[in-house]
Amino acid sequence: MFRLRNRVITTPIIDILKQIRYENGNLIFSDIRDKGSNIMFTCPYHAMGQEHHPSAAIFVGEDDRAEFGVTHCFTCGKVVPLVELVCDTMRMD
């Protein structure tokens, strides 16, 4: 659960990523792995989203040392909140 402006979003983040993958014809987020307090996935920001192994993570645990819902790619260094990741990867018709 996270807040987007004044709304509470209860959809699990992994389900949001899978829906985006589906809507984009499986061209991004080709590998999504639930690692407990992190969700690992293939980064859409480098290699045109076509890397072979997950290099990005979203923190979904409960810990004061990390911010919930923030995406960090360990390869390209991109750091964005979940809202920006969703906006950047939504299919535009």
Side-chain angles (χ1 to χ4, degrees):
M1 175 176 72
F2 64 98
R3 291 191 179 276
L4 175 59
R5 296 193 178 102
N6 291 326
R7 299 181 69 187
V8 174
I9 308 297
T10 59
T11 303
I13 291 175
I14 196 164
D15 291 344
I16 293 170
L17 296 178
K18 287 178 179 179
Q19 182 65 32
I20 293 169
R21 175 176 61 191
Y22 171 77
E23 290 180 10
N24 280 281
N26 297 322
L27 296 175
I28 60 171
F29 304 138
S30 60
D31 192 349
I32 301 171
R33 301 176 188 181
D34 186 346
K35 298 290 188 178
S37 63
N38 288 294
I39 297 171
M40 298 293 298
F41 57 94
T42 50
C43 179
Y45 294 108
H46 69 272
M48 298 183 70
Q50 300 301 307
E51 62 181 352
H52 299 288
H53 303 287
S55 64
I58 295 180
F59 180 71
V60 294
E62 294 183 22
D63 189 335
D64 292 340
R65 295 175 290 169
E67 187 176 350
F68 184 89
V70 172
T71 298
H72 178 250
C73 178
F74 298 99
T75 299
C76 69
K78 184 83 167 179
V79 177
V80 296
L82 177 63
V83 173
E84 187 173 333
L85 176 70
V86 170
C87 290
D88 290 348
T89 57
M90 288 179 51
R91 184 177 185 154
M92 303 298 282
D93 291 318

